[in-house]
């Protein structure tokens, strides 16, 4: 099915102008995604790019593949439907930390354990940008800059990679928007890895979280080979500072795909009702 | 339930037609349950006003469902004397009673069970041929081994012998099989088959009473015909998986009941806005909230018609009988695909979980036929404004057709737009494609003539039909209009159907007269009207309708 093409990252960009703020990390993720799409060597029409709602969820419209911009929190469900219906397509889902881990949290857990062969990119900026700066599930409990939670949330944040591992994700990686080449490489690796791959991307919000400009000074590559053993990966992630980039876990579970057969005619099926 | 199933199957084998509904309590397994049967020499689509025979295997929790077991003075109640006196709510019917020592008779047979003794006695009393009963049991118990089969056979025969000493009850006439092919099918199975015949290839759903059997029937049937069924983590996921499957090119369906439909409404709006076809079968149960999950009602009409936020035109259809669950679901697949919109099928527990022995349904021509974009896509616009309002849909994999489906308002190309002119144009498009489509004669089942009409829908169509038949026998002329297409409304066709009608009766199974209010909102109705309505679980009986009609004689 795969056809080698000589498309460049630019060929995967659409002419729609992003609504993102200048300096937003999502621009770099868009570059990484289109670079990854070009590296796959598949024609544009064989890729489906699915999202929910939020700043980052606008991303499919900025690419030139088939896309679906759905409702808040349900990108993974639409993506699973696409892949299960059409296993021949390459399916990528993307969105933000609120979309994927708050309103869509249940689907995230089940996508990890269902292990449908698709790739999910979460652009994590630890804030709801589209609604003008509220705490997200990855926001620190003492962040007081939202009018909605002026004293901070007082709730410990979700660590997405740990949640993914505990839920059964088959491939987990973390990238930083400041290093789009690495993000592109991780996306390609995730797409090639069988089953559900989760790419956590630290993508700064310069508007509501300007302090995230400092992320470039704290991200660091992981040490050694990515673990294939869940227990070892658990151990590493439990002490991880959340800024380690690279592949964090690469499991060996086969992808989920129900079998398809045509082994009965309608006449045989309907015959059972004859009385 | 097994006893009821055996009797229905045996009736079918002996050449009769029949209907079996069930009344279940809330228990996970066991607990009170009643199999409610009507057997006839001709096809039927409704329960009668009362039952001729009640076989009580025990009196457990009878207070909870005695109202669902109407009896007349001529009815016969059989009960084991060791279970004590007949409880008050049953005694209050004033029916005749007789003892049947179910336990003692069963005890004389190794492995003998009371339910098979009851089957034998009931079959003998109503004149159901014993060999038909034994044939059915032999088939049903073949895989359980010879010992079980022998015990059941002996128990049935012992029950039949005991019946000789019992008072007579209504008996079936001598009747030969007319040779016409007939089906034994439940409404939920029929809906599943309609989906399959319509061309559904992808199903995602979450289990819920009383819709689960649609899915349990579809799971192996789809697998054998090259389709896929996925159990989702919740209804939010199932509706969105279905949207994904349909976007990817496969005719897709989900099935649920009221609480699930409530969860799905936001995403139904997404299907409307993104013009993604899908079918949703809602097998209605008592509401609101968790309500009465095991019993029927028609009270999801409002949420199905009005439950989406924004102006969101979509299709709502309803089967008019158990067998019509097949036709209407198949038609819904056709409509959803042709119109690129969600189509809701409002079935209910009374149809879904009832079994009927009926003439084999006629095949219908409706198949999923989506207008797809192929070739010449240099200037492709997914949401192009067309005369029909339907625009060619590019399926992933089609070169040059790439677009982004969107729940945001968009322009013809699909690019998000908050511009007034785009909103107006796309709203017009989505409304016009539904309102200008030719739904043909299937919008309603219309029968009869005269200046009185009964307007109804869904499971209530059966008792209405029977009431009108009885009124006709008394010389009245009455028209029946059972709506199949609820949305979009068809005011011109209704005006035609009501030509010459001076008085109408509206019959529905809701507390709040949802159907009546729906009709008043969409149609010009004669001023003189009567409404017969009641919430579930007590079905509306033919005589309740008949008495109102006779008042107009």
């Amino acid at each position: 099915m795969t056809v080698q093409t000589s498309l460049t990252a630019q060929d995967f960009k659409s002419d729609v102008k992003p609504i993102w703020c200048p300096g937003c990390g999502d621009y770099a993720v868009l570059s990484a995604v289109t670079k990854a799409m070009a590296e796959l060597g598949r024609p544009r029409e064989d890729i489906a790019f699915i999202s929910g709602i939020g700043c980052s969820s606008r991303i499919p419209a900025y690419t030139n593949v088939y896309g679906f911009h759905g409702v808040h929190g349900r990108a993974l469900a639409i993506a699973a439907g696409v892949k299960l219906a059409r296993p021949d397509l390459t399916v990528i889902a993307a969105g933000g930390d609120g979309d994927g881990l708050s309103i869509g949290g249940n689907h995230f857990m089940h996508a990890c354990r269902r292990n449908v062969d698709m790739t999910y990119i979460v652009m994590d900026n630890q804030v709801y940008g589209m609604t003008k700066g509220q705490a997200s599930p990855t926001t620190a409990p003492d962040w007081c800059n939202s009018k909605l939670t002026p004293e901070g949330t007082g709730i410990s944040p979700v660590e997405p990679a740990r949640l993914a591992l505990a839920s059964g994700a088959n491939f987990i990686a973390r990238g930083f928007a400041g290093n789009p080449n690495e993000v592109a490489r991780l996306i390609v690796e995730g797409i090639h890895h069988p089953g559900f791959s989760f790419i956590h991307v630290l993508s700064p919000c310069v508007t509501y979280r300007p302090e995230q400009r400092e992320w470039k000074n704290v991200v660091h590559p992981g040490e050694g080979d990515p673990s294939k053993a869940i227990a070892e990966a658990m151990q590493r992630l439990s002490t991880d500072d959340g800024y380690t980039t690279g592949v964090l876990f690469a499991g060996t579970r086969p992808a989920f795909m129900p079998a398809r057969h045509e082994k009965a005619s309608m006449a045989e099926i309907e015959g059972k009702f004859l009385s | 339930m097994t006893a009821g199933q055996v009797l229905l199957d045996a009736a079918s084998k002996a050449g009769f037609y029949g209907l079996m509904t069930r009344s279940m309590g809330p228990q996970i397994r066991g607990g009170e349950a009643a199999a409610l049967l009507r057997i006839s020499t001709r096809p039927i689509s409704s329960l009668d006003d009362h039952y001729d025979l009640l076989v009580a295997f025990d009196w457990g929790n009878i207070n909870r469902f005695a109202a669902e077991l109407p009896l007349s003075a001529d009815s016969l109640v059989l009960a084991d004397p060791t279970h004590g006196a007949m409880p008050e709510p049953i005694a209050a019917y004033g029916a005749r009673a007789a003892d049947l020592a179910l336990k003692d008779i069963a005890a004389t047979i190794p492995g003998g069970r009371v339910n098979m003794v009851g089957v034998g006695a009931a079959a003998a009393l109503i004149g159901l041929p014993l060999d038909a009963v034994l044939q059915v049991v032999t088939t049903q118990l073949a895989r359980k081994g010879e010992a079980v089969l022998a015990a059941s056979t002996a128990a049935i025969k012992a029950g039949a012998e005991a019946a000789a000493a019992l008072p007579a009850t209504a008996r079936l006439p001598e009747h030969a099989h007319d040779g016409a092919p007939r089906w034994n099918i439940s409404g939920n199975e029929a809906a599943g088959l309609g989906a399959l015949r319509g061309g559904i290839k992808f199903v995602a759903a979450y289990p819920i009473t009383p819709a689960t059997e649609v899915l349990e029937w579809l799971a192996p049937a789809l697998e054998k015909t090259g389709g896929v069924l996925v159990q989702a983590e919740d209804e939010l996921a199932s509706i969105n998986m279905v949207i994904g499957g349909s976007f990817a090119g496969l005719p897709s369906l989900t099935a649920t009941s009221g609480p699930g439909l409530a969860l799905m409404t936001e995403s139904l709006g997404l299907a409307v806005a993104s013009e993604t076809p899908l079918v949703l079968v809602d097998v209605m149960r008592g509401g609101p909230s968790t309500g009465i999950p095991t019993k029927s009602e028609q009270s999801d009409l409002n949420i199905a018609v009005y439950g989406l936020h924004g102006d969101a035109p979509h299709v709502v259809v309803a089967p008019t009988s158990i067998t019509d669950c097949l036709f209407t679901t198949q038609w819904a697949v056709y409509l959803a695909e042709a119109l690129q919109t969600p189509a809701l099928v409002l079935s209910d527990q009374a149809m879904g979980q009832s079994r009927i022995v009926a003439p084999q349904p006629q095949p219908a021509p409706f198949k999923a036929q989506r207008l797809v974009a192929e070739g010449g896509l240099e200037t492709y616009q997914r949401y192009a404004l067309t005369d029909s309002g339907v625009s060619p849909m590019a399926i992933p994999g089609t070169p040059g057709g790439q677009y982004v489906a969107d729940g945001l308002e968009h322009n013809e190309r699909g690019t998000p737009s908050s511009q007034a002119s785009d909103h107006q144009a796309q709203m017009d498009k989505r409304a016009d494609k539904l309102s200008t489509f030719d739904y043909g004669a299937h919008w309603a089942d219309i029968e009869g003539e005269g200046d009185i009409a009964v307007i109804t829908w869904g499971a209530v169509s059966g008792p209405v039909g029977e009431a009108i038949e009885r009124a006709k026998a008394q010389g009245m002329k009455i028209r029946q209009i059972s709506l199949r297409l609820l949305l979009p409304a068809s005011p011109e066709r209704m005006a035609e159907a009501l030509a010459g009608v001076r008085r109408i009766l509206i019959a529905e199974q809701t507390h709040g007269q949802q159907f009546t209010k729906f009709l008043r909102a969409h149609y010009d109705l004669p001023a003189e009207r009567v409404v017969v309505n009641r919430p579930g679980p007590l079905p509306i009986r033919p005589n309740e309708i008949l008495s109102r009609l006779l008042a107009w004689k």
Side-chain angles (χ1 to χ4, degrees):
Chain A
M1 197 63 206
T2 305
V3 181
Q4 285 300 322
T5 58
S6 53
L7 297 172
T8 65
Q10 198 55 37
D11 293 323
F12 283 91
K13 285 191 176 156
S14 78
D15 56 5
V16 178
K17 190 176 176 298
I19 58 160
W20 299 325
C21 309
C24 176
D26 294 350
Y27 286 103
V29 181
L30 174 61
S31 289
V33 166
T34 51
K35 189 172 187 329
M37 287 172 172
E39 277 179 29
L40 288 176
R42 297 203 74 182
R44 291 178 287 217
E45 62 269 20
D46 287 354
I47 301 173
F49 196 15
I50 317 295
S51 69
I53 293 294
C55 301
S56 56
S57 289
R58 291 288 188 124
I59 195 167
Y62 310 143
T63 70
N64 215 339
V65 299
Y66 279 92
F68 208 124
H69 181 217
V71 295
H72 199 20
R74 317 292 164 223
L76 285 172
I78 294 186
V82 173
K83 184 67 184 181
L84 291 166
R86 289 282 304 279
D88 58 305
L89 300 172
T90 294
V91 178
I92 307 169
D97 36 304
D99 189 65
L101 302 166
S102 190
I103 190 168
N106 194 36
H107 307 307
F108 181 67
M109 178 176 97
H110 290 280
C112 290
R113 62 178 273 267
R114 190 174 283 118
N115 207 31
V116 171
D117 190 13
M118 60 188 196
T119 299
Y120 183 38
I121 304 164
V122 167
M123 292 166 252
D124 186 357
N125 57 12
Q126 304 175 354
V127 74
Y128 286 96
M130 190 155 266
T131 48
K132 319 293 182 214
Q134 295 80 29
S136 88
T138 53
T139 304
D142 56 355
W143 183 69
C144 303
N145 291 4
S146 165
K147 287 181 201 164
L148 195 57
T149 51
E151 310 289 323
T153 64
I155 304 173
S156 12
V158 167
E159 208 302 288
R162 275 205 286 268
L163 179 61
L165 186 67
S167 305
N170 208 34
F171 179 94
I172 302 167
R174 191 184 290 125
F176 170 50
N179 187 351
N181 285 341
E182 184 188 30
V183 174
R185 202 169 60 242
L186 295 171
I187 293 171
V188 171
E189 208 175 321
I191 289 170
H192 286 314
H193 197 87
F196 182 76
S197 48
F198 172 52
I199 319 291
H200 180 214
V201 182
L202 299 164
S203 180
C205 173
V206 295
T207 301
Y208 297 105
R209 303 297 307 264
E211 68 277 19
Q212 291 172 345
R213 290 178 195 275
E214 288 309 305
W215 277 354
K216 62 178 182 289
N217 298 320
V218 292
V219 291
H220 56 86
E223 285 167 22
D225 288 337
S227 178
K228 286 192 167 55
I230 292 177
E232 193 193 317
M234 285 275 187
Q235 182 67 37
R236 275 198 207 179
L237 281 177
S238 66
T239 53
D240 183 63
D241 62 0
Y243 296 99
T244 306
T245 63
V247 179
L248 304 174
F249 174 70
T252 54
R253 278 206 299 147
F256 170 79
M257 183 54 67
R260 286 173 154 80
H261 316 279
E262 294 216 18
K263 54 191 182 193
S265 66
M266 284 301 286
E268 282 170 73
I269 288 169
E270 296 181 0
K272 299 221 161 70
F273 294 122
L274 267 173
S275 159
Chain B
M1 282 313 123
T2 312
Q5 185 74 55
V6 168
L7 288 169
L8 183 70
D9 292 354
S12 169
K13 200 153 277 293
F16 296 97
Y17 294 93
L19 172 66
M20 181 178 107
T21 67
R22 47 196 235 188
S23 174
M24 312 274 283
Q27 295 82 0
I28 308 304
R29 290 198 81 102
E32 81 268 18
L36 311 168
L37 278 96
R38 185 181 186 193
I39 300 171
S40 169
T41 53
R42 59 192 181 91
I44 45 171
S45 56
S46 163
L47 290 171
D48 209 341
D49 297 308
H50 62 263
Y51 297 94
D52 295 308
L53 175 66
L54 170 64
V55 182
F57 292 107
D58 64 59
W59 292 119
N61 295 323
I62 187 69
N63 291 338
R64 292 190 197 163
F65 64 109
E68 295 165 55
L69 309 173
L71 302 171
S72 75
D74 284 337
S75 305
L76 178 64
V77 180
L78 298 183
D80 195 313
T82 62
H83 287 305
M86 191 188 296
E88 175 51 31
I90 294 294
Y93 286 122
R96 297 173 299 143
D99 289 341
L100 179 61
L102 291 160
K103 278 199 285 191
D104 287 352
I105 296 171
T108 62
I109 300 155
R113 291 169 52 179
V114 290
N115 64 343
M116 289 300 122
V117 176
V119 163
L125 277 173
I126 64 173
L128 198 55
L130 198 61
D131 54 348
V133 179
L134 294 175
Q135 267 183 50
V136 165
V137 171
T138 306
T139 314
Q140 285 190 0
L141 298 181
R143 60 191 172 79
K144 292 206 171 177
E146 278 184 26
V148 174
L149 178 57
S152 294
T153 304
I156 289 166
K157 285 179 176 166
E161 281 163 27
L166 294 170
T169 182
R171 274 182 81 81
L172 290 162
E174 288 290 327
H175 179 70
H177 202 298
D178 58 14
R182 61 192 59 192
W183 277 17
N184 183 332
I185 193 168
S186 76
N188 280 344
E189 290 169 347
L193 179 58
L196 213 58
R197 280 191 177 178
I200 290 295
K201 287 287 178 196
F202 182 75
V203 173
Y206 189 72
I208 186 168
T209 304
T212 312
E213 294 94 349
V214 178
L215 308 164
E216 288 178 339
W217 186 85
L218 270 170
L222 263 178
E223 203 242 73
K224 285 179 197 156
T225 50
V228 170
L229 180 142
V230 197
Q231 181 174 332
E233 57 268 31
D234 55 33
E235 285 92 348
L236 304 166
S238 45
I239 187 72
N240 280 284
M241 284 182 180
V242 160
I243 289 172
S246 178
F247 166 76
L250 300 191
S252 302
L253 169 144
T254 189
T256 189
S257 189
L261 175 60
L263 286 174
M264 291 179 184
T265 51
E266 182 197 17
S267 298
L268 282 174
L270 173 63
V272 170
S274 63
E275 302 197 46
T276 309
L278 66 87
V279 176
L280 186 161
V281 178
D282 172 26
V283 186
M284 297 182 286
R285 64 192 218 184
S289 189
T290 313
I292 309 181
T294 54
K295 297 183 182 184
S296 202
E297 203 162 80
Q298 294 184 316
S299 49
D300 289 350
L301 176 64
N302 278 353
I303 187 174
V305 170
Y306 305 113
L308 310 190
H309 65 278
D311 280 329
H314 59 287
V315 171
V316 180
V317 294
T320 56
S321 70
I322 296 169
T323 43
D324 190 61
C325 290
L326 195 171
F327 174 87
T328 295
T329 309
Q330 186 178 347
W331 192 44
V333 178
Y334 163 75
L335 293 177
E337 291 284 322
L339 292 164
Q340 299 182 11
T341 198
L344 275 59
V345 180
L346 288 184
S347 177
D348 64 21
Q349 187 273 339
M351 293 189 285
Q353 292 193 324
S354 294
R355 297 198 74 80
I356 194 159
V357 174
Q360 178 172 353
Q362 293 298 313
F366 297 109
K367 269 280 187 197
Q369 275 177 314
R370 193 183 296 186
L371 181 64
V372 295
E374 292 164 315
L377 300 178
E378 295 75 21
T379 57
Y380 177 63
Q381 300 200 99
R382 167 67 185 99
Y383 302 106
L385 303 176
T386 63
D387 287 346
S388 67
V390 177
S391 21
M393 182 171 179
I395 305 302
T398 310
Q402 297 95 286
Y403 73 100
V404 178
D406 210 318
L408 278 171
E409 190 56 282
H410 40 259
N411 59 20
E412 289 183 81
R413 195 184 141 191
T415 307
S417 168
S418 57
Q419 202 170 301
S421 57
D422 285 329
H423 191 43
Q424 181 73 47
Q426 293 293 321
M427 295 291 271
D428 287 345
K429 172 188 197 298
R430 294 188 292 259
D432 292 348
K433 69 177 179 178
L434 297 193
S435 62
T436 59
F437 188 79
D438 182 6
Y439 299 89
H442 306 294
W443 75 281
D445 287 345
I446 303 167
E447 269 187 62
E449 51 188 65
D451 63 1
I452 298 174
V454 182
I455 309 180
T456 188
W457 71 294
V460 186
S461 305
V464 163
E466 183 143 347
I468 290 176
E469 229 170 88
R470 292 179 196 174
K472 272 187 194 162
Q474 300 198 34
M476 290 187 78
K477 282 185 176 173
I478 297 166
R479 220 173 283 190
Q480 175 170 1
I481 303 170
S482 292
L483 260 64
R484 181 177 288 102
L485 180 68
L486 295 161
L487 214 62
S490 323
E492 283 145 31
R493 288 180 191 277
M494 180 65 97
E496 212 176 298
L498 286 176
V501 169
R502 289 192 302 118
R503 292 185 283 209
I504 58 166
L505 185 151
I506 301 169
E508 59 170 311
Q509 189 92 53
T510 71
H511 185 267
Q513 300 192 345
Q514 293 187 17
F515 183 61
T516 304
K517 289 168 186 167
F518 165 81
L519 290 174
R520 292 187 63 189
H522 294 275
Y523 298 109
D524 282 332
L525 303 173
E528 193 175 343
R529 58 178 168 254
V530 166
V531 179
V532 177
N533 71 294
R534 173 164 68 223
L538 294 185
I540 291 173
R541 306 271 175 190
N543 263 350
E544 296 178 64
I545 310 281
L546 180 66
S547 62
R548 309 304 282 265
L549 293 175
L550 291 178
W552 278 338
K553 195 177 173 183

